[in-house]
Amino acid sequence: MNGPTPTPGVTYVRNPLMDDARFGLVGDRSYWLSGINTRGTDGSLGTIDVFSKGFGVTDPTAQAQKTTVGTTDGTVCPVNPYLREYRHLPAPPSATKANELVIDAKNIGAVTIDPKQARSTERPSCG
């Protein structure tokens, strides 16, 4: 079984109030980040954004929003109309590879980074 497609950037909002450890439901991982925990025990949100320069790309520029109107067969009503709003990102522009992680975190007390998946051997430190 293959995992998710490697991605150079991971953005995650940690919401400890949504966890239910009794049933193994703990939302503390995303792609190559794991063990994401907030600083306090009051249930407040934490956010983390990590970008690895080890992939040799930069973030693509978001395209303008597109909108389409459509219909689908309904169960209660014969036709269900809908409005679709979407954006498709272009391929990321190339950049020089670097052994560097760019981290922006708010109210995050701990996180583990898988260096192989992040394509970095950098040992990040928070200042």
Side-chain angles (χ1 to χ4, degrees):
M1 180 171 132
N2 294 330
T5 303
T7 179
V10 179
T11 301
Y12 192 77
V13 176
R14 178 72 170 100
N15 184 353
L17 294 178
M18 297 298 291
D19 293 348
D20 193 341
R22 296 173 301 162
F23 298 104
L25 302 173
V26 179
D28 66 347
R29 63 185 62 223
S30 181
Y31 294 96
W32 36 268
L33 301 180
S34 62
I36 305 167
N37 288 304
T38 55
R39 289 186 184 273
T41 57
D42 63 353
S44 60
L45 298 177
T47 60
I48 186 163
D49 183 48
V50 185
F51 189 85
S52 172
K53 293 186 178 182
F55 285 78
V57 296
T58 62
D59 278 331
T61 303
Q63 301 295 307
Q65 177 179 303
K66 296 179 183 175
T67 305
T68 59
V69 176
T71 60
T72 186
D73 293 335
T75 53
V76 176
C77 297
V79 176
N80 289 324
Y82 65 86
L83 178 68
R84 177 180 178 225
E85 298 177 344
Y86 63 95
R87 295 170 197 229
H88 292 293
L89 290 176
S94 296
T96 303
K97 285 186 180 182
N99 188 27
E100 182 179 346
L101 298 171
V102 179
I103 302 172
D104 181 22
K106 292 175 183 64
N107 196 35
I108 296 293
V111 63
T112 300
I113 298 171
D114 182 324
K116 184 177 179 184
Q117 289 185 7
R119 299 185 186 175
S120 174
T121 58
E122 183 74 15
R123 295 189 54 85
S125 61
C126 296

